[in-house]
């Protein structure tokens, strides 16, 4: 059976059924992403997901949007992207929206050269204390609006290496980040 770009969509998505069956576990994502263009809402609204670690098993990826990928994952605590190719991703809009238990995200050494929109990427991630994200190659980045809005536990962040000349919107980027020093 050939898969379309949105093979997991819908309120009764296949991923939610899988997690309902096995309960809360760490997931190692072993799907060949070479033919998938969008992972829009892949794990969205999933109360069973606690931790996700992506593997390099299948090599390069053609994913170009990660919009709403983990939004409203109420029990998600950590995500490790360190072994995935995201060089073609242009949009991370609402990627982790309202993941209030999310404490750690590893995005170190990822190729963000195609990323244009990171609007509200981590908004309302109240428990986010640590994020390892390197945006030095994000030369196409246009907006970081509300990217960390209401990340109440975020203590520090180094964005000194962001070199995007196209960046034109950082409104409310750190608004309500009460622990940020």
């Amino acid at each position: 059976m050939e898969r379309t770009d949105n093979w997991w969509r819908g309120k009764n998505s296949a991923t939610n059924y899988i997690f309902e069956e096995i309960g809360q576990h760490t997931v190692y994502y072993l799907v060949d992403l070479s033919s998938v263009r969008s992972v829009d809402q892949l794990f969205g609204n999933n109360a069973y997901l606690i931790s996700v670690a992506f593997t390099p098993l299948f090599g390069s990826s053609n994913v170009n949007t990660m919009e709403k990928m983990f939004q409203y994952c109420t029990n998600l605590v950590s995500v490790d992207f360190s072994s995935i190719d995201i060089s073609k991703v242009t949009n991370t809009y609402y990627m982790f929206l309202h993941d209030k238990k999310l404490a750690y995200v590893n995005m170190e050494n990822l190729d963000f050269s195609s990323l244009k929109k990171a609007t509200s990427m981590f908004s309302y991630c109240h428990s986010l204390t640590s994020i390892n994200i390197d945006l030095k190659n994000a030369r196409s980045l246009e907006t970081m609006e509300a990217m960390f809005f209401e990340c109440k536990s975020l203590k520090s962040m180094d964005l000194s290496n962001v070199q995007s000349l196209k960046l034109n919107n950082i409104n409310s980027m750190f608004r309500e980040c009460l622990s940020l020093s």
Side-chain angles (χ1 to χ4, degrees):
M1 178 172 90
E2 188 174 315
R3 228 180 320 187
T4 65
D5 280 351
N6 297 316
W7 54 273
W8 52 78
R9 280 194 170 243
K11 287 184 180 180
N12 299 319
S13 73
T15 55
N16 281 334
Y17 282 134
I18 291 168
F19 292 110
E20 286 173 17
E21 293 289 321
I22 63 173
Q24 294 180 338
H25 293 282
T26 298
V27 173
Y28 292 91
Y29 201 59
L30 300 173
V31 173
D32 182 355
L33 295 175
S34 62
S35 63
V36 178
R37 300 265 186 260
S38 170
V39 288
D40 180 295
Q41 300 180 29
L42 175 60
F43 297 107
N45 300 303
N46 193 316
Y48 300 95
L49 202 57
I50 295 176
S51 181
V52 177
F54 288 89
T55 69
L57 187 62
F58 296 102
S60 77
S61 163
N62 287 310
V63 172
N64 60 21
T65 182
M66 293 179 147
E67 184 176 333
K68 303 174 188 172
M69 187 174 181
F70 293 98
Q71 77 171 357
Y72 295 101
C73 289
T74 55
N75 289 302
L76 184 64
V77 174
S78 68
V79 180
D80 185 350
F81 287 100
S82 62
S83 298
I84 189 172
D85 173 14
I86 65 159
S87 62
K88 295 177 181 157
V89 172
T90 61
N91 184 1
T92 57
Y93 181 76
Y94 288 162
M95 189 171 178
F96 296 98
L97 181 72
H98 282 282
D99 292 348
K100 293 182 180 183
K101 291 184 181 178
L102 185 66
Y104 178 74
V105 178
N106 184 4
M107 295 181 141
E108 185 177 25
N109 299 320
L110 293 180
D111 181 353
F112 284 104
S113 59
S114 297
L115 183 62
K116 292 180 181 181
K117 296 178 181 166
T119 304
S120 298
M121 186 173 175
F122 297 98
S123 288
Y124 304 102
C125 291
H126 294 165
S127 300
L128 187 63
T129 58
S130 177
I131 178 167
N132 202 350
I133 188 169
D134 187 353
L135 296 172
K136 70 177 172 252
N137 61 2
R139 289 175 178 74
S140 298
L141 192 57
E142 297 170 2
T143 180
M144 296 171 84
E145 181 178 11
M147 187 171 177
F148 300 99
F149 183 83
E150 214 171 287
C151 289
K152 295 177 179 183
S153 300
L154 189 62
K155 295 186 184 340
S156 67
M157 164 127 328
D158 182 4
L159 294 174
S160 62
N161 59 6
V162 176
Q163 299 178 11
S164 179
L165 299 174
K166 296 180 180 187
L167 188 61
N168 60 29
N169 188 347
I170 57 170
N171 292 334
S172 300
M173 185 172 167
F174 293 106
R175 187 172 179 191
E176 301 298 324
C177 292
L178 306 175
S179 300
L180 194 60
S181 58

